[in-house]
Amino acid sequence: MRSFGLLGPLDVVLDGHHVHIPPGKRRVVLAALLLRPGQVVPVDELVELAGGSRNALQTTVGRLREALPGLVLTKPGGYLLDVRPDEVDVHRFDRLAPREALALWRGRPFADIGSDALERDHVPALTEKYLATLEARIEADLRAGEHERLVPELRSLTSQHPTRERMWAQLIVALHRCDRQTEALQAYDDIRGRLAAELGLDPGKDLQKAHQQVLTADNRPRARNDLPGDIADFAGRASDLDEILAAVPSGCVAITAIDGMAGIGKTTIAVRAAHRLAARFPDAQLFVDLHSYTAGVEPRTPSDALLALLTALGVPAQDIPDGLDARAARWRAEMAHRKALVVLDNAGSTSQVRPLLPGTGLVLVTSRRRLVDLDAAHTISLDVLSEEDSLNLLASIVGRAKLDQDVDSAREIVRLCGYLPLAVRIVGARWRTRPAWSAQDLTRRLTGQRLSELTAGERSVESAFSLSYQQLTAEQQRLFRRLGLHTGEDFDAHLAAAVIGTTRAEAERLLEELLDAHLVQQKENGRYRFHDLLADHAKASVEEDEKAEAITRLLDHYLRNAAEAADVLNPGRPRIDIVVQYEPAGPLRFATHADAVVWLEKERLNLKAAVYLAAYQGHYRHAWQIPHLIAYFLLMRGYGRERVALQSLALAAAHQLGDLKARAEALRGLGSAYMEDSDPRAVEHLHQALDLMRQIKDLRGEASTLGILGNIARERRELDKAMVYFQRGLTLMRHIGARTGEANALHNIGIVYAERGENDQALVHIQKSLELLTEHGDVRSCAVVLHDIGYVHYNEFRDEEAVEFIERTLAVYRESGDWRGGAMAMADFGYLLYAMGRLDQAREMMRVMLRQTRESMGRPDDESVLAAMEDVRDHQGGIAILISLALDAELDGRLSAAAGYAQRCLEMVRRNKRGWGEARLLIQLSGLHHALGDTAAAIRCGEEAVQAAERLCQRRTIDRAKQALATASAPAPPA
């Protein structure tokens, strides 16, 4: 806890402890900064206030920083105190209800600061604000019938402030209500005489009104307060409450519409705000429940609501007109000269609210719908509580000690409540009355059947949701229900159209209507989602006779569009037979490779959820075909863990179908996924796939499987065996006329030649592969091939050609929309530039790669990127990041850090059998250890580097390894 006080002697509290600021310039500077928290105060202004020079100010600020570590910041042109306004009593004073605000006042402001200028400029205004707040608090006490208690206080106040007319008026009213009319009239005569003698003025309106009340013997409080009681366990919503409190009318009506889903706490925050604002609207605080979402109660008509409002203002029943327009006019007339606020709770539509709007004052409207056509409305849409606020709410109900016994389970409880205030309150109420339950007991109950557990007495989350659902049209209900079968993260209008069999435009209209009703949410344009509990309710609302069709429509949508994306992403691939029962009204079309990548990335988790749904519901064809179609994308993006999981599911689904083609493809896909994960089961699955491909005479499938087996052999340095696989695959691809398959086989053969050191043959094959891929428009594969051509030129010491292909490769990766492929290429090319001696270019390449990867993955730092890659088992990505970090650190002179990154990378390369990276890392480590003075480690790494380089058969790498060893082994120069 920290706070700063200027409303009295200086008071500084940090971490719950009072901090002493010595008298003098430090207090003056601190006070000036506290008056503008979070804002830059110019140096010249501080020098003028504190006296002295700029150097003296720097000394003062330095000493102030010692007392307030980390809070006083230097900014261009001045200094800034890094605190929030609500931590400073001067600013917090304005935001609080009168009684709470007055508690902050501890005496004369700036009492011990020692600045005449600050006292002159600020104390008069603060004192006036204090007195006005004091009068507002007294007014509230008068309305509450506290007149007898107030008389002594007002006697004292009018003595201290003898010309403060409102205080005298309050004293007269208090005396009058105590039946002390003589004293009340004497008080009026006293202030009237004083005003005439000292100021030459007549009494103002407040005094005249109080005097008239005495003369007419009207001692009844005129204010009306219909507000429900405020709640003690209000939690969170600080910014929302501040926004409502800021809606102050200026001569006309101020309307704040508070909307949100059922159970979100709209009424609670409206009532709290009304209580906080009551002193500013002393004539009336009215509350009307319009019952638009009340079980068993008809929504209140505007005419009935006006009758209740006019009656509350004391208008006799015989004076209230019958017609709606006449009642609305009388209502506006009655409110015209009143300072009043009105809470219109539980509104269903703008037409229900509009006749109830007065001409002046403040109106708070709550509704489950967005009242988008409500004139002059300031709208606040409430979201669920934060985890911290949800825990605070739960603790206020059951006690903090109960939560502290098992914090992790408490967090899980509020998560299972969807951070919805109503759900948290219900759970808290049940837990409070079940002392035998532990937090884990409650978690288990909620995990089983959430909606049925979220009921306590007459309160029920399910009932609240049902009322919202009943207000929908039949077509809105149908869409809401069917979307409940979607188990993914979010959805768009295309999916919505698919599940109900309509056009995208019609589905988008319905989604926007559900959004206005707070039955779906929207985190980004075009993407919708359910609150967790609403998703449960939607699924529970599905009618049995529509379930099968809705699920099939949903799965057909993802299957059809995954096929469209795969055709663009990997043109020339062998197509599988896609059969859907429900063709979409407007299937997606992807104009470019990048468009397909964007859609697949947005829908990745939804596609994964669709595969699990298909398997669970017995749609086995969808369950193997969707993983097959998105496998290339998952490989491209490095989602290794996901590939293995989905291909395993695909294989199980293929077994259920009894389809040999499906089983062969699933085995090949799982084998490929295992290969990327360095899993020894890869070869076993691929040989099973190969046998099945031959059994069903699928030559293309056989050739593709041979290609994967060849790559495994190549990684194991079994180059002759790899060449046999690739040559056999090339023959088959040419036999069936599969040009892109031929290109892949040529590329693989070229890589084997390169790894044998036969670079001329390598270029012939890889360039022929590039021609075929370009012919078929396979953009991403072209980038991969261009990358390898650049690498071959590098190995042949043709640096200018290598740099040319580096630039071409990165341009094509950008065109393809494959940021990860581009990042991997930049890590490799950065090393090549480093090896060429182009150190500035290498450093820039590495830094761009690291920055773009952080941005693309939405991660704050490189370690969190590495953790995320480890989580999805993106081994190649992790190696690329560590290579880049090692080189960047070395080029930045951070040699120990560079050695640490390079060692981590070497361990990952060896663990995942990525032999191509071992030599370069050992070369770098040899140089780093030599520079750090560890000769033995430098020689050891140099020797290992030579051995690794000779296995690669690349002359340039061998030369660099031998040079590293020679440098490490050279005798130290004489001292």
Side-chain angles (χ1 to χ4, degrees), residues 455-470:
T455 300
E458 295 182 355
R459 291 195 298 180
S460 162
V461 169
E462 189 166 19
S463 295
F465 289 167
S466 294
L467 288 168
S468 294
Y469 176 77
Q470 290 162 15

Side-chain angles (χ1 to χ4, degrees), residues 43 84 118 121 138 212 217 310 323 344 422 433 562 571 612 635 655 675 714 812 934 944 964:
V43 168
R84 302 188 308 274
L118 288 176
D121 293 342
I138 292 169
Q212 190 63 29
L310 287 167
L344 302 176
L422 175 62
T433 58
Y612 280 90
L635 169 65
H655 276 291
M675 180 196 75
R714 184 174 60 79
V812 176
D934 190 344
E944 292 180 12

Side-chain angles (χ1 to χ4, degrees), residues 6-286:
L6 294 173
L7 299 177
L10 179 66
D11 185 49
V12 177
V13 177
L14 296 181
D15 296 325
H17 300 288
H18 287 273
V19 177
H20 175 67
I21 306 296
K25 293 180 180 179
R26 272 174 275 184
R27 290 192 182 182
V28 175
V29 171
L30 178 56
L33 294 172
L34 285 171
L35 286 168
R36 282 184 264 176
Q39 300 178 34
V40 177
V41 181
V43 168
D44 291 342
E45 183 178 329
L46 292 172
V47 169
E48 183 178 350
L49 283 171
S53 63
R54 284 176 171 254
N55 288 338
L57 177 63
Q58 288 179 348
T59 302
T60 299
V61 170
R63 291 174 178 169
L64 195 56
R65 282 177 171 148
E66 293 174 3
L68 307 175
L71 295 184
V72 184
L73 308 180
T74 302
K75 296 293 181 181
Y79 296 98
L80 175 148
L81 190 66
D82 187 16
V83 299
R84 302 188 308 274
D86 62 6
E87 295 175 317
V88 184
D89 61 0
V90 170
H91 306 287
R92 194 160 71 250
F93 189 91
D94 294 331
R95 299 182 173 198
L96 297 175
R99 194 174 305 280
E100 296 169 5
L102 293 171
L104 298 177
W105 195 273
R106 297 172 290 106
R108 180 177 174 80
F110 304 93
D112 58 352
I113 299 299
S115 170
D116 292 340
L118 288 176
E119 289 200 37
R120 181 192 65 235
D121 293 342
H122 297 282
V123 170
L126 288 172
T127 302
E128 176 59 33
K129 189 181 296 183
Y130 166 75
L131 292 174
T133 304
L134 182 58
E135 289 167 346
R137 192 226 80 205
I138 292 169
E139 199 68 41
D141 289 348
L142 280 172
R143 288 198 308 274
E146 299 287 335
H147 37 273
E148 289 189 11
R149 183 184 59 78
L150 288 170
V151 169
E153 181 183 5
L154 285 165
R155 290 280 195 198
S156 174
L157 288 171
T158 52
S159 175
Q160 296 171 42
H161 307 284
T163 58
R164 195 84 185 176
E165 291 190 49
R166 191 178 181 194
M167 288 182 177
W168 280 96
Q170 290 171 330
L171 173 60
I172 292 166
V173 170
L175 288 167
H176 178 49
R177 291 181 184 172
C178 293
D179 291 328
R180 295 157 69 175
Q181 278 79 3
T182 301
E183 292 176 70
L185 292 172
Q186 183 60 53
Y188 178 75
D189 288 340
D190 288 347
I191 182 58
R192 182 178 61 178
R194 187 183 294 274
L195 290 172
E198 297 181 12
L199 302 175
L201 296 175
D202 292 327
K205 289 183 179 179
D206 284 345
L207 279 170
Q208 291 178 28
K209 184 178 178 182
H211 184 230
Q212 190 63 29
Q213 285 185 36
V214 179
L215 294 178
T216 59
D218 179 9
N219 61 357
R220 295 170 300 152
R222 299 185 67 241
R224 169 76 177 226
N225 188 329
D226 286 340
L227 298 177
D230 200 359
I231 61 172
D233 55 13
F234 187 88
R237 304 284 191 218
S239 60
D240 294 318
L241 187 58
D242 286 345
E243 195 171 346
I244 296 169
L245 297 179
V248 179
S250 55
C252 60
V253 65
I255 307 166
T256 296
I258 305 167
D259 59 62
M261 64 183 286
I264 203 77
K266 301 177 292 296
T267 302
T268 301
I269 195 171
V271 170
R272 164 144 294 211
H275 278 285
R276 294 280 294 273
L277 291 164
R280 294 159 70 177
F281 299 93
D283 295 333
Q285 303 93 46
L286 305 177

Side-chain angles (χ1 to χ4, degrees), residues 863-920:
E863 287 298 333
S864 64
V865 168
L866 284 167
M869 287 180 166
E870 178 65 25
D871 186 53
V872 300
R873 295 216 286 260
D874 182 2
H875 307 304
Q876 185 179 350
I879 290 168
I881 294 293
L882 287 169
I883 286 173
S884 301
L885 288 169
L887 287 177
D888 181 53
E890 179 180 346
L891 296 174
D892 202 34
R894 295 177 286 114
L895 302 186
S896 295
Y901 286 129
Q903 186 62 42
R904 283 172 64 185
C905 191
L906 179 62
E907 292 166 4
M908 185 179 288
V909 162
R910 286 171 170 169
R911 188 166 61 248
N912 291 285
K913 300 179 177 59
R914 300 295 199 265
W916 50 265
E918 192 171 4
R920 63 174 60 175

